[in-house]
Amino acid sequence: MEGAWVALVLTLKVALWATVLNLLFGVAVAHALARRRFAGRELLDAVFTLPMVMPPTVLGYYLLVLIGTHSPLGAWLLQHFGIRLIFTWQGAVVAATVVSFPLVYKAARAAFETVDPQLEQAARTLGVQELGVFFRVSLPLAWRGILAGLLLSFARALGEFGATLMVAGSIPGRTQTLSIAVYEAVQAGQDDTAHFLVAVTSITCIAVLLSAGRLAPGRVAPRDA
């Protein structure tokens, strides 16, 4: 059962890092595509949404091609910085980030598109710079949708299996996340461990989904009669 707790801690670490990365990149990309019109915009939207519908094992294969030690990027990282992503928990973070990215991107873009552009233009008229417009107008008005997307992304990262197994493998204590630990426990006939891991994962995901539902844009609190 000790291995189950190790897998839980590792999964939380991977999911938190993936959520932070999605906060930085997902929100920036969502804001750019929500407010700017340019050639290829819809194609980019399709590319950023692709991990939502593509099989995780296929995504894992693409990541192996991209960041594997024999790929140009992977070899460059290893040679110049000593960074090896394959079969490491950092590789699991990369896999979880890519798989859960669309949940943040789509939620954040929808939230930014609900912000009245006239409010942003009014801030610019008053002399506020673009960065100030984002942090003082756009972000405060869109934060509920963004937070809901982040919670969904966190839940998705908790349950990531296919891409993580392809990129990080299943090394107990190093890359074996909760979902992979469940698979290994079932294969080994360790039913008690599998039951515990499934219960922890289910309770965590339900709590996250309930929180995300309460933060969804447009949700109106019921009034007392």
Side-chain angles (χ1 to χ4, degrees):
M1 193 64 70
E2 181 181 352
W5 288 110
V6 174
L8 173 60
V9 172
L10 176 62
T11 302
L12 291 174
K13 180 169 71 171
V14 169
L16 283 172
W17 271 105
T19 304
V20 170
L21 291 175
N22 280 328
L23 171 63
L24 297 175
F25 296 108
V27 172
V29 171
H31 185 262
L33 267 67
R35 284 292 179 258
R36 288 176 171 78
R37 302 291 185 269
F38 52 88
R41 177 169 171 263
E42 296 307 319
L43 177 60
L44 279 178
D45 178 75
V47 171
F48 291 136
T49 310
L50 196 59
M52 186 180 292
V53 297
M54 184 174 286
T57 51
V58 176
L59 288 174
Y61 174 79
Y62 280 131
L63 288 174
L64 283 175
V65 172
L66 179 65
I67 64 176
T69 53
H70 297 293
S71 68
L73 177 59
W76 181 78
L77 289 173
L78 184 61
Q79 180 179 357
H80 291 85
F81 302 100
I83 297 176
R84 178 189 177 95
L85 294 176
I86 303 301
F87 300 119
T88 64
W89 72 268
Q90 291 90 344
V93 170
V94 173
T97 301
V98 171
V99 171
S100 59
F101 177 87
L103 294 171
V104 176
Y105 162 69
K106 298 298 285 187
R109 180 174 176 180
F112 283 127
E113 288 176 344
T114 61
V115 176
D116 189 348
Q118 294 184 357
L119 297 176
E120 297 173 331
Q121 187 57 41
R124 296 187 186 97
T125 303
L126 294 173
V128 181
Q129 300 298 320
E130 286 299 321
L131 194 61
V133 172
F134 175 78
F135 282 106
R136 297 172 63 180
V137 179
S138 305
L139 191 59
L141 292 175
W143 75 268
R144 289 173 64 88
I146 294 172
L147 185 55
L150 288 172
L151 289 173
L152 291 174
S153 172
F154 178 79
R156 180 65 185 86
L158 283 177
E160 165 51 29
F161 177 80
T164 302
L165 187 61
M166 293 282 288
V167 174
S170 177
I171 306 174
R174 292 179 57 189
T175 65
Q176 190 179 81
T177 57
L178 274 176
S179 55
I180 298 176
V182 170
Y183 175 80
E184 296 289 350
V186 171
Q187 292 296 308
Q190 300 172 353
D191 293 339
D192 291 341
T193 301
H195 291 160
F196 172 76
L197 292 170
V198 168
V200 170
T201 305
S202 300
I203 292 172
T204 303
C205 289
I206 289 173
V208 170
L209 290 174
L210 289 175
S211 301
R214 295 181 63 86
L215 290 168
R219 186 181 180 90
V220 179
R223 296 180 179 179
D224 296 333

